[in-house]
Amino acid sequence: MPLARSARLVLVLVLTLGLAGLGATVPLAPAGADDTASARAFAPLRFGDTGWRVRELQSRLHQLDLHSEVVTSRFDAQTRAGVRTFQARRKRETTGRVDARTWHRLVSVTTEPTREALHNVYTPGPAILATGDRGLAVRRVQARLAQLQWWSGDVTGIYDARTTEAVRGFQAKRRIPVTGEVDRRTLDRLAAMTRQPTKAELFNIEPQGPALDPRCMTGRAMCVDKTSRSLRWVVDGVVRTRVDVRFGSDELPTREGAFTVFRKSRDHVSSLYDTPMPFAMFFSGGQAVHYSPDFAATGYDGASHGCVNVRDYDAVRRLFDQVHLGDKVIVYRS
């Protein structure tokens, strides 16, 4: 072998051994290759999936208040919403699909779920309400239990044996530790399944006259009943005012349904019929609740052009001052 070539081979060998001795390495793959391989190995979780991986996902989301405490093994709408919120908070694409990156980030900010959490085994929390308590908080619990048919009869505001039994029944059905006392878990679950009780529900105030439409039982509503030909002004389930009304003819009927007051005009005059419409509260196109001098004079012999006519001037004047834009108008038949 020529001397020059032999010398070159010796030099390469020395350099290689020297580098190895110094701890130098030659990269065998681009940086991040392991992460890429890990991402490829991770099987994404998506809507409709089932299994224990979904249970762990739901439990970790619950730690961040992004899922209920109950895990179900099914990637449902609640789970997808939690994943989307988690992604949005971290300024990532809100796909609702758990890829490797989303999963690793979720794991990094949560703790390993316990066996109890994965199997919906709960420990009772400190009692917030229990036997012997009294007051508005107890009334709210009883009223919410009544909405779910766990309570019947009057709301009393007294946490007695009947209240304890109703709470025990609610807890047993929802796999909450059955204590008969209201802890934070019980209160949160009850609130999630019900609506804010109305004043009428809390204090056993019965609506006057025919049954109110359920849509009238919350908030502020002019509840217009075509059957009883009445308008009842209802606030939080309590009837504040009742007036007689009449409606449109068969050719121009008053529309039925749920509306809101979008315009008020105290001294309105109809541009279409050139007739006065004092205290007009418009809820659907040109249809409004308003005072009608013709109704006051002729009674039910006449009809409106689709509006809700009121014949009591003083009552509708007071009502006009109480009703706000955005208040509900429910027109129905009892």
Side-chain angles (χ1 to χ4, degrees):
M1 177 182 295
L3 182 59
R5 184 179 177 188
S6 298
R8 286 197 300 272
L9 289 174
V10 170
L11 180 60
V12 169
L13 180 60
V14 169
L15 288 172
T16 302
L17 291 174
L19 288 170
L22 292 172
T25 58
V26 179
L28 298 178
D34 288 344
D35 292 341
T36 303
S38 175
R40 283 199 300 267
F42 182 85
L45 289 166
R46 55 176 63 84
F47 183 80
D49 286 348
T50 58
W52 280 99
R53 294 173 70 218
V54 177
R55 293 182 82 88
E56 181 179 351
L57 168 65
Q58 292 172 337
S59 186
R60 288 184 183 275
L61 288 171
H62 170 67
Q63 293 178 34
L64 303 175
D65 292 326
L66 297 176
H67 194 276
S68 70
E69 193 172 20
V70 177
V71 298
T72 64
S73 296
R74 179 171 294 279
F75 199 125
D76 54 11
Q78 181 188 179
T79 310
R80 181 171 58 187
V83 172
R84 284 175 173 167
T85 301
F86 178 79
Q87 291 169 328
R89 286 178 179 175
R90 283 147 186 87
K91 295 182 170 36
R92 295 179 179 174
E93 186 180 2
T94 55
T95 62
R97 176 175 174 270
V98 181
D99 56 12
R101 185 181 181 192
T102 300
W103 177 256
H104 293 323
R105 181 57 179 158
L106 179 62
V107 169
S108 72
V109 296
T110 55
T111 59
E112 188 73 20
T114 64
R115 181 181 183 279
E116 288 76 11
L118 292 173
H119 288 82
N120 297 313
V121 178
Y122 307 125
T123 301
I128 298 173
L129 294 170
T131 301
D133 287 337
R134 295 170 176 259
L136 185 58
V138 178
R139 283 184 178 274
R140 291 192 182 106
V141 167
Q142 292 172 338
R144 288 183 184 274
L145 288 169
Q147 291 177 23
L148 299 173
Q149 299 182 338
W150 282 107
W151 181 270
S152 61
D154 285 350
V155 168
T156 64
I158 303 171
Y159 206 117
D160 53 10
R162 193 157 66 97
T163 310
T164 299
E165 193 60 29
V167 171
R168 288 177 62 86
F170 174 80
Q171 290 170 328
K173 187 168 183 179
R174 272 81 198 174
R175 292 185 292 179
I176 297 171
V178 180
T179 63
E181 298 177 341
V182 177
D183 60 3
R184 174 52 57 187
R185 180 184 290 112
T186 303
L187 194 59
D188 288 348
R189 195 75 56 80
L190 185 60
M193 297 180 64
T194 55
R195 55 172 170 75
Q196 185 73 25
T198 66
K199 182 178 179 180
E201 291 171 320
L202 291 173
F203 296 98
N204 311 301
I205 302 172
E206 294 293 333
Q208 302 172 5
L212 286 171
D213 186 287
R215 294 170 292 184
C216 297
M217 296 302 294
T218 58
R220 300 160 55 87
M222 286 194 285
C223 203
V224 182
D225 182 358
K226 283 188 170 182
T227 303
S228 64
R229 297 192 289 193
S230 66
L231 181 156
R232 283 172 285 180
W233 171 235
V234 185
V235 179
D236 293 332
V238 179
V239 177
R240 301 291 183 86
T241 303
R242 183 192 183 282
V243 294
D244 295 330
V245 292
R246 72 177 185 184
F247 308 101
S249 63
D250 292 339
E251 293 76 20
L252 294 169
T254 303
R255 302 180 189 99
E256 297 178 20
F259 312 93
T260 58
V261 177
F262 66 87
R263 181 189 176 196
K264 293 173 64 179
S265 178
R266 185 176 295 271
D267 299 306
H268 192 77
V269 176
S270 170
S271 59
L272 186 60
Y273 301 105
D274 195 29
T275 55
M277 298 170 55
F279 310 112
M281 294 168 278
F282 291 90
F283 61 87
S284 177
Q287 295 191 355
V289 175
H290 66 85
Y291 171 70
S292 169
D294 180 70
F295 183 25
T298 65
Y300 294 103
D301 289 339
S304 74
H305 294 96
C307 289
V308 178
N309 288 170
V310 182
R311 64 177 168 187
D312 187 329
Y313 181 91
D314 290 333
V316 74
R317 175 177 56 80
R318 290 190 296 268
L319 180 62
F320 183 88
D321 291 333
Q322 295 177 56
V323 173
H324 302 158
L325 295 180
D327 285 347
K328 292 186 290 188
V329 180
I330 308 297
V331 184
Y332 72 109
R333 296 179 185 275
S334 61

